[in-house]
Amino acid sequence: QLNISKCFLCQKLIENSKKEALSTNSKLYEAVFLKSEKSIYWFLKIHHILADGWAFSLIFRKVAQCYNQLLSNEDLDYQAASFELYLENEKEYIGSNIYERDKEFWLKQYESKELTTLEAKGNKIKENAVYQFSISKEAYQLIGEYCKNQKSTLFHFFLGITAISLFRVVGKKDITILIPVLNRSNRKFREIIGLLMNVIPLNLSVSSEMNFVDLQAAIGQMLRESYRHHQFQFTDLINI
């Protein structure tokens, strides 16, 4: 029996197909294949606990690789790297001096700070939302030139803009932004399908007297220092 979640894209695919489909279901993942006269559609939904963004990309690349090998009558040579490789590395890391060094770094960064819920001035933020906006190609190029002249990056620039916006809305000088990191430090880890990503808390001190150039430079410096200690799990930090 076909069990497809109520997804707009999936419903459209069904409407445009012969409604010939094969699905596999579990609590953590769902895969649906839909066949039309000329195409086969693959709808894949995986819980984030099983795969991060890199893993999703890896899945699609590996499937495409195997598909092309089958079309060329070649033997499949895909060998999936085991997630146990990452777990063993984590065990060694937790028992190492590097772990203690990283732990000391993060505790020093946040020894007098607490993670709190953001509240706008006068109004509580009641629900999550995604806000999108577009900038022109010309504006993007101008920002890129500015960052190049400042020996900075677009990432640093938009982090600075985000910090200033939060400062104005929330009214707090210390703003903590969680930065996702790949956490795949070697080639073997880049072949693992799983959730390896980590987040690092970047604490930014903002005030109305600050110069944006100085803020952008401070962000770059803090990121460089934080990336050296990216393997320490954020969950370990908040549970200490």
Side-chain angles (χ1 to χ4, degrees):
Q1 182 180 358
L2 183 61
N3 180 16
I4 303 176
S5 60
K6 293 181 180 179
C7 169
F8 175 79
L9 172 61
C10 200
Q11 294 301 325
K12 285 298 181 182
L13 293 178
I14 293 175
E15 293 171 5
N16 296 327
S17 72
K18 283 187 173 182
K19 298 184 180 179
E20 298 178 7
L22 171 66
S23 68
T24 59
N25 297 278
S26 77
K27 294 181 179 179
L28 297 179
Y29 74 93
E30 180 179 26
V32 177
F33 299 87
L34 300 170
K35 182 179 180 182
S36 66
E37 293 183 357
K38 296 182 179 180
S39 303
I40 295 177
Y41 300 94
W42 176 26
F43 176 77
L44 180 64
K45 181 177 68 176
I46 302 178
H47 195 291
H48 215 328
I49 198 173
L50 293 182
D52 53 24
W54 180 275
F56 266 97
S57 177
L58 181 61
I59 290 171
F60 294 130
R61 292 201 307 270
K62 292 300 183 181
V63 169
Q65 172 187 316
C66 293
Y67 182 81
N68 289 326
Q69 289 173 341
L70 289 172
L71 287 177
S72 302
N73 294 320
E74 299 176 5
D75 294 331
L76 297 181
D77 59 1
Y78 168 60
Q79 296 294 328
S82 173
F83 191 76
E84 293 182 359
L85 179 67
Y86 171 72
L87 294 179
E88 289 298 323
N89 182 78
E90 282 295 290
K91 289 179 181 179
E92 293 180 7
Y93 167 68
I94 292 173
S96 69
N97 293 331
I98 298 176
Y99 176 87
E100 295 299 327
R101 181 199 65 187
D102 293 345
K103 178 181 178 180
E104 181 180 355
F105 171 82
W106 290 114
L107 287 178
K108 185 177 180 180
Q109 294 291 315
Y110 291 91
E111 59 185 356
S112 61
K113 300 179 178 66
E114 294 182 359
L115 296 177
T116 58
T117 302
L118 293 179
E119 294 183 2
K121 296 178 181 177
N123 296 297
K124 291 185 177 180
I125 300 175
K126 297 181 179 180
E127 60 184 21
N128 295 326
V130 176
Y131 298 95
Q132 297 179 344
F133 66 92
S134 300
I135 60 175
S136 65
K137 182 178 180 181
E138 292 75 16
Y140 182 83
Q141 290 175 339
L142 287 173
I143 295 172
E145 286 297 322
Y146 163 80
C147 293
K148 183 178 180 180
N149 293 334
Q150 297 298 327
K151 297 181 180 180
S152 186
T153 68
L154 286 166
F155 183 51
H156 300 163
F157 177 87
F158 285 108
L159 270 180
I161 294 295
T162 302
I164 291 174
S165 299
L166 289 174
F167 168 70
R168 290 181 175 179
V169 173
V170 180
K172 293 183 178 180
K173 292 185 177 181
D174 290 329
I175 304 294
T176 300
I177 301 176
L178 297 182
I179 307 297
V181 291
L182 186 60
N183 200 28
R184 295 173 183 260
S185 55
N186 60 51
R187 185 175 180 180
K188 290 182 179 180
F189 287 174
R190 291 185 175 90
E191 295 299 317
I192 294 176
I193 295 176
L195 175 62
L196 277 68
M197 68 159 288
N198 189 21
V199 292
I200 56 176
L202 187 68
N203 188 72
L204 304 175
S205 296
V206 185
S207 69
S208 57
E209 295 81 18
M210 286 193 71
N211 183 303
F212 184 76
V213 174
D214 295 335
L215 174 61
Q216 193 173 5
I219 289 173
Q221 179 62 31
M222 283 185 285
L223 280 174
R224 285 188 290 272
E225 293 178 357
S226 298
Y227 284 149
R228 299 190 187 103
H229 308 277
H230 76 274
Q231 192 173 355
F232 191 85
Q233 292 292 322
F234 178 67
T235 51
D236 290 348
L237 176 62
I238 61 177
N239 288 327
I240 293 177

